[in-house]
C-alpha cells in the first residue's frame, strides 16, 4: 500500500465575493472543513495546509483527524504548492486540492488517489457542456467541445514526479499542477466528475448559492399545550377569538414552538427547551414570535437560511383556516421568507384523542434550511 498525503490550499484571497469564502460557514461548516473531510474520507493519511495570514488561526485551531503540518502560502498558487511539497517526506502519493472546491466528494478524491497509484497521476477534470469560442484578433473561432476539459482539483500525483516537476518547472507560467506535470514530460491521467456543478469552485455569489442549496437540511418539530380557561389563544403569533387559551410558561403558541423545534433540529442547534428554559422568568408569557426571531438569528449566523416550512395544527376547535393567512404573514416575516414559503394546515381528530376532546391543541412542523 502506498502512503497518500494531501496538500490543502487555503491561502487564496477572496476579494471577488466581498467576504472570506474559505472562513464563512456554508450550512454550518467552512469550505476548509468540508474539503478536509473529503480528503480524509477519500484516503489522505496526512495533510499539509498552505495558509494565508487570514486563514492561519482558523486552521491552527481546526481538529484534524490525521497528522498535519501548516506552511505559509506563497505569492502564487504554485509557490504555495511548492512550500507544501517541501515539508512532505514520506508520502508516495500527493493529492493537491483547492479549499474553495469544497463540494468535491470523497469518492472523487479516492478515485484520483487510486489513479495516481496505478498510473502515476489522477487529475480531476470536468467535461465541457457549453460551446466555447476563441476570440483571436477580429476572428471568432468555435472550438470542438468534445476535445475540451475543465481542470479541477484534487490533482493527484506520484510524489517523486510532482516534486521534480515543481523543482524544475517555470512556476510563473502555470495555473495548475497538471501543466507542470506535463512540462516535466509526463502524460496525465484524468478522473472525470459528473455534471457541471458537482465539483464547482466557490468563486461567485452564484457558486455560493449552489453550495448552500446542495447542503439543504431538514428538521421536524412537535408540540402540545393544554387548553384552559382564562388564557388568550395564540397560534402562529396571532390571537384567535376563543373561550379558552393554551397553558404554558410563555404564550404557549404550539404552532410557533413546533416550527422553532423543527428549525433548531435542522440546524443541529438543540431544541427550544435548551434555548429558552421554562425555569427562566425572562420567558414568562413571552411572545413566541420574538423567540422565533432569535432562533432564526442563530441559524442565520451559521450560514443557513430558512427554505420552506410546512406545519399542521391539530385542534377540534376553533377553526384555523380563517386565520391561516395572518399566521403565515407574521411567521414568514420573522423567518425572513415569503409567505408562500410557509404552509399552515389544520386537522381535527374526529372527536378522538385529547385534541378531539378539546383538552389540548397540538402542532407538528417540517422545515428545510438552505
Ligand atoms: Mg411548547
Amino acid at each position: 500500500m502506498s502512503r497518500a498525503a494531501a496538500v490543502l490550499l487555503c491561502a487564496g484571497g477572496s476579494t471577488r465575493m466581498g467576504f472570506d469564502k474559505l472562513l464563512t460557514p456554508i450550512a454550518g461548516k467552512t469550505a476548509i472543513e468540508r474539503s478536509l473531510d473529503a480528503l480524509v474520507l477519500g484516503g489522505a493519511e496526512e495533510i499539509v495546509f498552505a495558509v494565508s495570514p487570514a486563514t492561519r488561526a482558523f486552521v491552527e485551531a481546526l481538529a484534524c483527524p490525521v497528522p498535519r503540518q501548516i506552511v505559509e502560502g506563497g505569492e502564487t498558487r504554485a509557490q504555495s504548492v511548492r512550500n507544501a511539497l517541501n515539508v512532505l517526506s514520506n508520502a508516495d502519493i500527493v493529492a493537491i486540492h483547492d479549499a474553495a472546491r469544497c463540494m468535491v466528494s470523497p469518492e472523487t478524491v479516492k478515485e484520483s488517489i487510486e489513479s495516481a497509484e496505478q498510473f502515476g497521476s489522477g487529475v480531476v477534470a470536468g467535461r465541457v457542456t457549453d460551446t466555447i469560442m476563441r476570440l483571436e484578433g477580429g476572428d471568432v473561432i468555435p472550438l470542438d467541445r468534445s476535445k475540451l476539459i475543465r481542470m479541477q482539483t484534487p490533482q493527484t500525483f506520484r510524489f517523486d514526479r510532482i516534486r521534480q516537476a515543481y523543482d524544475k518547472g517555470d512556476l510563473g507560467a502555470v495555473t495548475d499542477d497538471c501543466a507542470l506535470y506535463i512540462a516535466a514530460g509526463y502524460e496525465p491521467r484524468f478522473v472525470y466528475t459528473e455534471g457541471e456543478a458537482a465539483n464547482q469552485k466557490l468563486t461567485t455569489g452564484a457558486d455560493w448559492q449552489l453550495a448552500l442549496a446542495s447542503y439543504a437540511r431538514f428538521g421536524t418539530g412537535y408540540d402540545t399545550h393544554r387548553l384552559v380557561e382564562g388564557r388568550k389563544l395564540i397560534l402562529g403569533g396571532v390571537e384567535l377569538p376563543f373561550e379558552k387559551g393554551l397553558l404554558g410558561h410563555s404564550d404557549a403558541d404550539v404552532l410557533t414552538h413546533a416550527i422553532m423545534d423543527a428549525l433548531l433540529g435542522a440546524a443541529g442547534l438543540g431544541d427550544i427547551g435548551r434555548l429558552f428554559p421554562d425555569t427562566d422568568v425572562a420567558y414568562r408569557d413571552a411572545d413566541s414570535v420574538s423567540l422565533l426571531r432569535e432562533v432564526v438569528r442563530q441559524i442565520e449566523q451559521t450560514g443557513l437560511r430558512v427554505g420552506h416550512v410546512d406545519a399542521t395544527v391539530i385542534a377540534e376547535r376553533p377553526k384555523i383556516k380563517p386565520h391561516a393567512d395572518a399566521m403565515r404573514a407574521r411567521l414568514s416575516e420573522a423567518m425572513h421568507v415569503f409567505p408562500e414559503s410557509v404552509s399552515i394546515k389544520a386537522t381535527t381528530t374526529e372527536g378522538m384523542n385529547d385534541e378531539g376532546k378539546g383538552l389540548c391543541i397540538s402542532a407538528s412542523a417540517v422545515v428545510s434550511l438552505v
Side-chain angles (χ1 to χ4, degrees):
M1 268 301 283
S2 47
R3 191 180 148 78
V7 169
L8 184 52
L9 297 163
C10 318
S14 60
T15 44
R16 268 180 289 192
M17 294 243 244
F19 56 90
D20 198 316
K21 65 183 176 185
L22 297 183
L23 297 179
T24 305
I26 311 159
K29 267 192 177 183
T30 64
I32 293 175
E33 293 168 282
R34 290 187 182 280
S35 291
L36 173 62
D37 286 350
L39 290 172
V40 171
L41 288 171
E45 297 157 272
E46 176 184 0
I47 310 279
V48 182
F49 294 85
V51 300
S52 65
T55 55
R56 175 176 280 279
F58 179 82
V59 170
E60 280 175 351
L62 199 60
C64 183
V66 296
R68 58 112 170 258
Q69 302 186 67
I70 298 174
V71 300
E72 206 62 59
E75 286 283 295
T76 63
R77 183 186 183 283
Q79 285 163 2
S80 296
V81 175
R82 190 170 56 185
N83 292 352
L85 294 178
N86 281 343
V87 302
L88 274 176
S89 50
N90 64 343
D92 304 306
I93 302 288
V94 59
I96 302 168
H97 186 63
D98 294 328
R101 241 179 245 286
C102 64
M103 289 182 277
V104 71
S105 69
E107 291 72 27
T108 297
V109 173
K110 189 161 177 274
E111 259 187 79
S112 115
I113 288 173
E114 284 169 356
S115 170
E117 284 171 340
Q118 200 176 346
F119 306 107
S121 65
V123 176
V124 175
R127 308 274 185 194
V128 173
T129 54
D130 293 329
T131 294
I132 297 187
M133 304 271 184
R134 190 168 74 208
L135 306 177
E136 214 167 77
D139 296 332
V140 181
I141 304 152
L143 301 180
D144 179 356
R145 72 179 173 205
S146 69
K147 292 182 180 156
L148 296 172
I149 57 173
R150 302 179 302 126
M151 306 310 296
Q152 302 178 347
T153 70
Q155 300 195 356
T156 307
F157 307 93
R158 265 180 47 188
F159 177 64
D160 54 348
R161 291 188 185 180
I162 195 67
R163 180 73 202 261
Q164 177 217 350
Y166 265 89
D167 283 344
K168 289 189 180 158
D170 175 4
L171 302 195
V174 298
T175 55
D176 81 340
D177 319 296
C178 184
L180 276 172
Y181 189 74
I182 294 165
Y186 297 112
E187 198 181 318
R189 178 98 179 187
F190 296 104
V191 168
Y192 292 101
T193 49
E194 289 304 319
E196 292 272 328
N199 194 16
Q200 188 70 29
K201 189 176 184 175
L202 298 178
T203 307
T204 65
D207 302 330
W208 190 263
Q209 289 306 320
L210 176 73
L212 281 173
S214 72
Y215 299 122
R217 307 246 202 117
F218 303 92
T220 72
Y222 180 81
D223 197 19
T224 300
H225 282 264
R226 193 183 293 272
L227 267 175
V228 296
E229 282 173 4
R231 292 265 302 179
K232 290 180 186 171
L233 177 60
I234 313 282
L235 284 174
V238 174
E239 187 178 341
L240 276 66
F242 194 54
E243 67 265 20
K244 289 182 178 177
L246 293 171
L247 182 65
H249 183 66
S250 65
D251 62 8
D253 181 343
V254 274
L255 173 57
T256 305
H257 291 186
I259 291 172
M260 284 196 279
D261 254 359
L263 292 170
L264 290 168
L269 290 175
D271 58 34
I272 49 176
R274 198 167 96 190
L275 234 65
F276 312 113
D278 61 9
T279 48
D280 190 331
V281 289
Y283 306 118
R284 189 139 160 223
D285 295 326
D287 170 13
S288 294
V289 173
S290 63
L291 305 183
L292 174 62
R293 283 203 182 87
E294 171 58 18
V295 165
V296 170
R297 191 189 66 79
Q298 291 197 16
I299 286 169
E300 288 181 346
Q301 263 182 353
T302 72
L304 291 161
R305 283 184 301 109
V306 178
H308 191 85
V309 174
D310 182 28
T312 303
V313 178
I314 305 150
E316 200 62 31
R317 283 198 318 128
K319 286 252 172 279
I320 305 300
K321 203 178 162 197
H323 308 282
D325 280 346
M327 295 176 190
R328 292 170 78 196
R330 183 114 207 266
L331 295 172
S332 62
E333 180 268 325
M335 292 187 282
H336 307 156
V337 295
F338 291 112
E340 294 75 25
S341 301
V342 180
S343 151
I344 293 171
K345 315 190 301 296
T347 186
T348 66
T349 54
E350 301 193 317
M352 297 181 291
N353 308 337
D354 289 344
E355 291 90 347
K357 293 177 190 125
L359 298 174
C360 65
I361 292 180
S362 303
S364 69
V366 173
V367 305
S368 66
L369 298 178
V370 294

